Amino acid sequence: MYNSATFQGLGAMSERDNIYQLVQGQVPAFAFDEAVARVFPDMIRRSVPGYTTIIPMIEVITRRYVQSGTQLYDLGCSLGASLLAMRHGVNVAGCTLIGVDNADAMLKRCQAYVDIDDAQTPVELQLADVRDIDVQNASVVTLNFTLQFVPKDDRLSLLRKIAAGTVAGGVLILSEKLSFDESEQQLQDTLHHDFKRANGYSDLEISGKRSAIENVLVPESLEQHVSRLKAAGYSQVIKWYQCFNFVSIIALK
Ligand code: GEK
């Protein structure tokens, strides 16, 4: 399984994330720049509860839903962890994988990981905004922690475009940070911060990242996601995984 080779490799080739170790005063807004790209595999594993389970399950879900002669899209592919999981799930002929990201620093490193990966399905990487691309003849589409960075007002039209470009029986895998009503929000935030602390982040780093990401990553509730996916044209929407305030959903065309 993909988990054994390339995914471990992504982690091993990453530097440790110490971006918010020495923050003082006003923290600049978070951006997917060179400094983040360099530490990204370490950052996302230590910051997102459930990420290390979701990635290998994307391979499993892909194997179930991929159809021969179709395209598979990873939208917001970063360094390619979800893209390569999908690639290792393809067990039919005539498919192409398309990875899209609008951060040049991320996509350059993604290409390097694709180059050392040993699966055979062709991969095309596109430096583009996910709102601007065409989606056609898709069997599996992944938005693995990307929709939360797209402006709220553009989320429904993006999902409509993806659903319209997906073949019957195709799937969207959507993973997101969630928001909750007030009392649950507090509890989930506490557990998330405990998770980060257990992974070696200090309180200063946790609060620095929290300020930097505010208004950049805009979470919504599970109910908002489910009703919007249905409005976008998906017939069945299932939460298959949740760890604290991070969720992964499959939406079936
Ligand atoms: C993984 N899927 O490792 N258009 C294109 N790309 C975008 C846009 C946009 N409008 N907005 C954000 N991005 C990956 C992890 S990270 C999640 C995905 C995180 C890109 C952005 O540049 C970044 O690479 C990615 O979406 C989000 O499974 O950092 O929490």
mmCIF file with all atom_site columns, all heavy atoms in Angstrom, residues 61-76:
data_model
loop_
_atom_site.group_PDB
_atom_site.id
_atom_site.type_symbol
_atom_site.label_atom_id
_atom_site.label_alt_id
_atom_site.label_comp_id
_atom_site.label_asym_id
_atom_site.label_entity_id
_atom_site.label_seq_id
_atom_site.pdbx_PDB_ins_code
_atom_site.Cartn_x
_atom_site.Cartn_y
_atom_site.Cartn_z
_atom_site.occupancy
_atom_site.B_iso_or_equiv
_atom_site.pdbx_formal_charge
_atom_site.auth_seq_id
_atom_site.auth_comp_id
_atom_site.auth_asym_id
_atom_site.auth_atom_id
_atom_site.pdbx_PDB_model_num
ATOM 1   N N   . ILE A 1 61 ? -10.405 4.412  -0.935  1.00 0.00 ? 61 ILE A N   1
ATOM 2   C CA  . ILE A 1 61 ? -11.654 4.930  -1.521  1.00 0.00 ? 61 ILE A CA  1
ATOM 3   C C   . ILE A 1 61 ? -11.499 5.055  -3.040  1.00 0.00 ? 61 ILE A C   1
ATOM 4   O O   . ILE A 1 61 ? -12.400 4.732  -3.814  1.00 0.00 ? 61 ILE A O   1
ATOM 5   C CB  . ILE A 1 61 ? -12.031 6.284  -0.860  1.00 0.00 ? 61 ILE A CB  1
ATOM 6   C CG1 . ILE A 1 61 ? -12.320 6.080  0.628   1.00 0.00 ? 61 ILE A CG1 1
ATOM 7   C CG2 . ILE A 1 61 ? -13.237 6.912  -1.566  1.00 0.00 ? 61 ILE A CG2 1
ATOM 8   C CD1 . ILE A 1 61 ? -12.381 7.378  1.453   1.00 0.00 ? 61 ILE A CD1 1
ATOM 9   N N   . THR A 1 62 ? -10.326 5.508  -3.472  1.00 0.00 ? 62 THR A N   1
ATOM 10  C CA  . THR A 1 62 ? -10.075 5.636  -4.917  1.00 0.00 ? 62 THR A CA  1
ATOM 11  C C   . THR A 1 62 ? -10.243 4.281  -5.604  1.00 0.00 ? 62 THR A C   1
ATOM 12  O O   . THR A 1 62 ? -10.886 4.178  -6.656  1.00 0.00 ? 62 THR A O   1
ATOM 13  C CB  . THR A 1 62 ? -8.650  6.181  -5.164  1.00 0.00 ? 62 THR A CB  1
ATOM 14  O OG1 . THR A 1 62 ? -8.572  7.475  -4.591  1.00 0.00 ? 62 THR A OG1 1
ATOM 15  C CG2 . THR A 1 62 ? -8.336  6.242  -6.655  1.00 0.00 ? 62 THR A CG2 1
ATOM 16  N N   . ARG A 1 63 ? -9.664  3.249  -5.017  1.00 0.00 ? 63 ARG A N   1
ATOM 17  C CA  . ARG A 1 63 ? -9.731  1.905  -5.641  1.00 0.00 ? 63 ARG A CA  1
ATOM 18  C C   . ARG A 1 63 ? -11.181 1.473  -5.825  1.00 0.00 ? 63 ARG A C   1
ATOM 19  O O   . ARG A 1 63 ? -11.527 0.834  -6.807  1.00 0.00 ? 63 ARG A O   1
ATOM 20  C CB  . ARG A 1 63 ? -8.955  0.913  -4.770  1.00 0.00 ? 63 ARG A CB  1
ATOM 21  C CG  . ARG A 1 63 ? -8.776  -0.443 -5.446  1.00 0.00 ? 63 ARG A CG  1
ATOM 22  C CD  . ARG A 1 63 ? -7.759  -1.322 -4.727  1.00 0.00 ? 63 ARG A CD  1
ATOM 23  N NE  . ARG A 1 63 ? -6.440  -0.730 -4.739  1.00 0.00 ? 63 ARG A NE  1
ATOM 24  C CZ  . ARG A 1 63 ? -5.721  -0.447 -3.642  1.00 0.00 ? 63 ARG A CZ  1
ATOM 25  N NH1 . ARG A 1 63 ? -6.211  -0.706 -2.454  1.00 0.00 ? 63 ARG A NH1 1
ATOM 26  N NH2 . ARG A 1 63 ? -4.536  0.082  -3.739  1.00 0.00 ? 63 ARG A NH2 1
ATOM 27  N N   . ARG A 1 64 ? -12.053 1.851  -4.918  1.00 0.00 ? 64 ARG A N   1
ATOM 28  C CA  . ARG A 1 64 ? -13.475 1.475  -4.993  1.00 0.00 ? 64 ARG A CA  1
ATOM 29  C C   . ARG A 1 64 ? -14.204 2.254  -6.099  1.00 0.00 ? 64 ARG A C   1
ATOM 30  O O   . ARG A 1 64 ? -15.087 1.724  -6.762  1.00 0.00 ? 64 ARG A O   1
ATOM 31  C CB  . ARG A 1 64 ? -14.119 1.747  -3.620  1.00 0.00 ? 64 ARG A CB  1
ATOM 32  C CG  . ARG A 1 64 ? -15.614 1.726  -3.530  1.00 0.00 ? 64 ARG A CG  1
ATOM 33  C CD  . ARG A 1 64 ? -16.280 0.389  -3.766  1.00 0.00 ? 64 ARG A CD  1
ATOM 34  N NE  . ARG A 1 64 ? -15.598 -0.729 -3.145  1.00 0.00 ? 64 ARG A NE  1
ATOM 35  C CZ  . ARG A 1 64 ? -15.766 -2.009 -3.519  1.00 0.00 ? 64 ARG A CZ  1
ATOM 36  N NH1 . ARG A 1 64 ? -16.590 -2.314 -4.500  1.00 0.00 ? 64 ARG A NH1 1
ATOM 37  N NH2 . ARG A 1 64 ? -15.101 -2.984 -2.924  1.00 0.00 ? 64 ARG A NH2 1
ATOM 38  N N   . TYR A 1 65 ? -13.855 3.533  -6.331  1.00 0.00 ? 65 TYR A N   1
ATOM 39  C CA  . TYR A 1 65 ? -14.674 4.379  -7.208  1.00 0.00 ? 65 TYR A CA  1
ATOM 40  C C   . TYR A 1 65 ? -14.054 4.709  -8.565  1.00 0.00 ? 65 TYR A C   1
ATOM 41  O O   . TYR A 1 65 ? -14.728 5.239  -9.437  1.00 0.00 ? 65 TYR A O   1
ATOM 42  C CB  . TYR A 1 65 ? -15.053 5.685  -6.481  1.00 0.00 ? 65 TYR A CB  1
ATOM 43  C CG  . TYR A 1 65 ? -16.050 5.419  -5.379  1.00 0.00 ? 65 TYR A CG  1
ATOM 44  C CD1 . TYR A 1 65 ? -15.654 5.333  -4.048  1.00 0.00 ? 65 TYR A CD1 1
ATOM 45  C CD2 . TYR A 1 65 ? -17.384 5.191  -5.680  1.00 0.00 ? 65 TYR A CD2 1
ATOM 46  C CE1 . TYR A 1 65 ? -16.554 5.053  -3.039  1.00 0.00 ? 65 TYR A CE1 1
ATOM 47  C CE2 . TYR A 1 65 ? -18.304 4.904  -4.685  1.00 0.00 ? 65 TYR A CE2 1
ATOM 48  C CZ  . TYR A 1 65 ? -17.878 4.839  -3.365  1.00 0.00 ? 65 TYR A CZ  1
ATOM 49  O OH  . TYR A 1 65 ? -18.792 4.546  -2.377  1.00 0.00 ? 65 TYR A OH  1
ATOM 50  N N   . VAL A 1 66 ? -12.757 4.424  -8.750  1.00 0.00 ? 66 VAL A N   1
ATOM 51  C CA  . VAL A 1 66 ? -12.135 4.782  -10.026 1.00 0.00 ? 66 VAL A CA  1
ATOM 52  C C   . VAL A 1 66 ? -12.759 3.959  -11.162 1.00 0.00 ? 66 VAL A C   1
ATOM 53  O O   . VAL A 1 66 ? -13.124 2.810  -10.972 1.00 0.00 ? 66 VAL A O   1
ATOM 54  C CB  . VAL A 1 66 ? -10.592 4.575  -9.952  1.00 0.00 ? 66 VAL A CB  1
ATOM 55  C CG1 . VAL A 1 66 ? -10.218 3.109  -9.784  1.00 0.00 ? 66 VAL A CG1 1
ATOM 56  C CG2 . VAL A 1 66 ? -9.914  5.182  -11.168 1.00 0.00 ? 66 VAL A CG2 1
ATOM 57  N N   . GLN A 1 67 ? -12.909 4.607  -12.331 1.00 0.00 ? 67 GLN A N   1
ATOM 58  C CA  . GLN A 1 67 ? -13.462 3.921  -13.509 1.00 0.00 ? 67 GLN A CA  1
ATOM 59  C C   . GLN A 1 67 ? -12.473 4.055  -14.654 1.00 0.00 ? 67 GLN A C   1
ATOM 60  O O   . GLN A 1 67 ? -11.824 5.104  -14.794 1.00 0.00 ? 67 GLN A O   1
ATOM 61  C CB  . GLN A 1 67 ? -14.803 4.547  -13.907 1.00 0.00 ? 67 GLN A CB  1
ATOM 62  C CG  . GLN A 1 67 ? -15.868 4.419  -12.812 1.00 0.00 ? 67 GLN A CG  1
ATOM 63  C CD  . GLN A 1 67 ? -17.194 5.066  -13.215 1.00 0.00 ? 67 GLN A CD  1
ATOM 64  O OE1 . GLN A 1 67 ? -17.578 5.064  -14.385 1.00 0.00 ? 67 GLN A OE1 1
ATOM 65  N NE2 . GLN A 1 67 ? -17.896 5.622  -12.236 1.00 0.00 ? 67 GLN A NE2 1
ATOM 66  N N   . SER A 1 68 ? -12.368 3.031  -15.489 1.00 0.00 ? 68 SER A N   1
ATOM 67  C CA  . SER A 1 68 ? -11.372 3.073  -16.569 1.00 0.00 ? 68 SER A CA  1
ATOM 68  C C   . SER A 1 68 ? -11.692 4.211  -17.542 1.00 0.00 ? 68 SER A C   1
ATOM 69  O O   . SER A 1 68 ? -12.853 4.564  -17.755 1.00 0.00 ? 68 SER A O   1
ATOM 70  C CB  . SER A 1 68 ? -11.307 1.733  -17.300 1.00 0.00 ? 68 SER A CB  1
ATOM 71  O OG  . SER A 1 68 ? -12.562 1.446  -17.833 1.00 0.00 ? 68 SER A OG  1
ATOM 72  N N   . GLY A 1 69 ? -10.640 4.784  -18.089 1.00 0.00 ? 69 GLY A N   1
ATOM 73  C CA  . GLY A 1 69 ? -10.788 5.840  -19.089 1.00 0.00 ? 69 GLY A CA  1
ATOM 74  C C   . GLY A 1 69 ? -11.261 7.174  -18.525 1.00 0.00 ? 69 GLY A C   1
ATOM 75  O O   . GLY A 1 69 ? -11.750 8.029  -19.265 1.00 0.00 ? 69 GLY A O   1
ATOM 76  N N   . THR A 1 70 ? -11.122 7.379  -17.217 1.00 0.00 ? 70 THR A N   1
ATOM 77  C CA  . THR A 1 70 ? -11.583 8.648  -16.622 1.00 0.00 ? 70 THR A CA  1
ATOM 78  C C   . THR A 1 70 ? -10.395 9.464  -16.091 1.00 0.00 ? 70 THR A C   1
ATOM 79  O O   . THR A 1 70 ? -9.254  9.007  -16.128 1.00 0.00 ? 70 THR A O   1
ATOM 80  C CB  . THR A 1 70 ? -12.540 8.389  -15.430 1.00 0.00 ? 70 THR A CB  1
ATOM 81  O OG1 . THR A 1 70 ? -11.853 7.605  -14.453 1.00 0.00 ? 70 THR A OG1 1
ATOM 82  C CG2 . THR A 1 70 ? -13.807 7.682  -15.886 1.00 0.00 ? 70 THR A CG2 1
ATOM 83  N N   . GLN A 1 71 ? -10.717 10.642 -15.599 1.00 0.00 ? 71 GLN A N   1
ATOM 84  C CA  . GLN A 1 71 ? -9.705  11.501 -14.981 1.00 0.00 ? 71 GLN A CA  1
ATOM 85  C C   . GLN A 1 71 ? -9.944  11.558 -13.472 1.00 0.00 ? 71 GLN A C   1
ATOM 86  O O   . GLN A 1 71 ? -11.083 11.473 -13.009 1.00 0.00 ? 71 GLN A O   1
ATOM 87  C CB  . GLN A 1 71 ? -9.799  12.906 -15.551 1.00 0.00 ? 71 GLN A CB  1
ATOM 88  C CG  . GLN A 1 71 ? -9.864  12.916 -17.072 1.00 0.00 ? 71 GLN A CG  1
ATOM 89  C CD  . GLN A 1 71 ? -9.290  14.174 -17.663 1.00 0.00 ? 71 GLN A CD  1
ATOM 90  O OE1 . GLN A 1 71 ? -8.096  14.261 -17.895 1.00 0.00 ? 71 GLN A OE1 1
ATOM 91  N NE2 . GLN A 1 71 ? -10.139 15.143 -17.900 1.00 0.00 ? 71 GLN A NE2 1
ATOM 92  N N   . LEU A 1 72 ? -8.835  11.724 -12.740 1.00 0.00 ? 72 LEU A N   1
ATOM 93  C CA  . LEU A 1 72 ? -8.919  11.871 -11.274 1.00 0.00 ? 72 LEU A CA  1
ATOM 94  C C   . LEU A 1 72 ? -8.269  13.210 -10.942 1.00 0.00 ? 72 LEU A C   1
ATOM 95  O O   . LEU A 1 72 ? -7.187  13.520 -11.459 1.00 0.00 ? 72 LEU A O   1
ATOM 96  C CB  . LEU A 1 72 ? -8.172  10.749 -10.550 1.00 0.00 ? 72 LEU A CB  1
ATOM 97  C CG  . LEU A 1 72 ? -8.749  9.333  -10.740 1.00 0.00 ? 72 LEU A CG  1
ATOM 98  C CD1 . LEU A 1 72 ? -8.217  8.677  -12.005 1.00 0.00 ? 72 LEU A CD1 1
ATOM 99  C CD2 . LEU A 1 72 ? -8.404  8.464  -9.531  1.00 0.00 ? 72 LEU A CD2 1
ATOM 100 N N   . TYR A 1 73 ? -8.925  13.994 -10.120 1.00 0.00 ? 73 TYR A N   1
ATOM 101 C CA  . TYR A 1 73 ? -8.433  15.332 -9.797  1.00 0.00 ? 73 TYR A CA  1
ATOM 102 C C   . TYR A 1 73 ? -8.102  15.431 -8.310  1.00 0.00 ? 73 TYR A C   1
ATOM 103 O O   . TYR A 1 73 ? -8.910  15.048 -7.461  1.00 0.00 ? 73 TYR A O   1
ATOM 104 C CB  . TYR A 1 73 ? -9.507  16.391 -10.086 1.00 0.00 ? 73 TYR A CB  1
ATOM 105 C CG  . TYR A 1 73 ? -9.827  16.580 -11.547 1.00 0.00 ? 73 TYR A CG  1
ATOM 106 C CD1 . TYR A 1 73 ? -10.678 15.703 -12.212 1.00 0.00 ? 73 TYR A CD1 1
ATOM 107 C CD2 . TYR A 1 73 ? -9.299  17.665 -12.249 1.00 0.00 ? 73 TYR A CD2 1
ATOM 108 C CE1 . TYR A 1 73 ? -10.984 15.896 -13.555 1.00 0.00 ? 73 TYR A CE1 1
ATOM 109 C CE2 . TYR A 1 73 ? -9.605  17.863 -13.593 1.00 0.00 ? 73 TYR A CE2 1
ATOM 110 C CZ  . TYR A 1 73 ? -10.451 16.969 -14.233 1.00 0.00 ? 73 TYR A CZ  1
ATOM 111 O OH  . TYR A 1 73 ? -10.758 17.161 -15.560 1.00 0.00 ? 73 TYR A OH  1
ATOM 112 N N   . ASP A 1 74 ? -6.931  16.005 -7.996  1.00 0.00 ? 74 ASP A N   1
ATOM 113 C CA  . ASP A 1 74 ? -6.637  16.385 -6.620  1.00 0.00 ? 74 ASP A CA  1
ATOM 114 C C   . ASP A 1 74 ? -6.518  17.908 -6.592  1.00 0.00 ? 74 ASP A C   1
ATOM 115 O O   . ASP A 1 74 ? -5.555  18.485 -7.103  1.00 0.00 ? 74 ASP A O   1
ATOM 116 C CB  . ASP A 1 74 ? -5.342  15.728 -6.126  1.00 0.00 ? 74 ASP A CB  1
ATOM 117 C CG  . ASP A 1 74 ? -5.100  16.007 -4.642  1.00 0.00 ? 74 ASP A CG  1
ATOM 118 O OD1 . ASP A 1 74 ? -6.007  16.579 -3.996  1.00 0.00 ? 74 ASP A OD1 1
ATOM 119 O OD2 . ASP A 1 74 ? -4.018  15.664 -4.146  1.00 0.00 ? 74 ASP A OD2 1
ATOM 120 N N   . LEU A 1 75 ? -7.526  18.565 -6.021  1.00 0.00 ? 75 LEU A N   1
ATOM 121 C CA  . LEU A 1 75 ? -7.613  20.024 -6.073  1.00 0.00 ? 75 LEU A CA  1
ATOM 122 C C   . LEU A 1 75 ? -7.040  20.617 -4.785  1.00 0.00 ? 75 LEU A C   1
ATOM 123 O O   . LEU A 1 75 ? -7.563  20.385 -3.697  1.00 0.00 ? 75 LEU A O   1
ATOM 124 C CB  . LEU A 1 75 ? -9.076  20.440 -6.285  1.00 0.00 ? 75 LEU A CB  1
ATOM 125 C CG  . LEU A 1 75 ? -9.742  19.790 -7.516  1.00 0.00 ? 75 LEU A CG  1
ATOM 126 C CD1 . LEU A 1 75 ? -11.193 20.228 -7.649  1.00 0.00 ? 75 LEU A CD1 1
ATOM 127 C CD2 . LEU A 1 75 ? -8.962  20.106 -8.796  1.00 0.00 ? 75 LEU A CD2 1
ATOM 128 N N   . GLY A 1 76 ? -5.948  21.365 -4.940  1.00 0.00 ? 76 GLY A N   1
ATOM 129 C CA  . GLY A 1 76 ? -5.194  21.837 -3.772  1.00 0.00 ? 76 GLY A CA  1
ATOM 130 C C   . GLY A 1 76 ? -4.268  20.717 -3.340  1.00 0.00 ? 76 GLY A C   1
ATOM 131 O O   . GLY A 1 76 ? -4.273  20.277 -2.182  1.00 0.00 ? 76 GLY A O   1
#
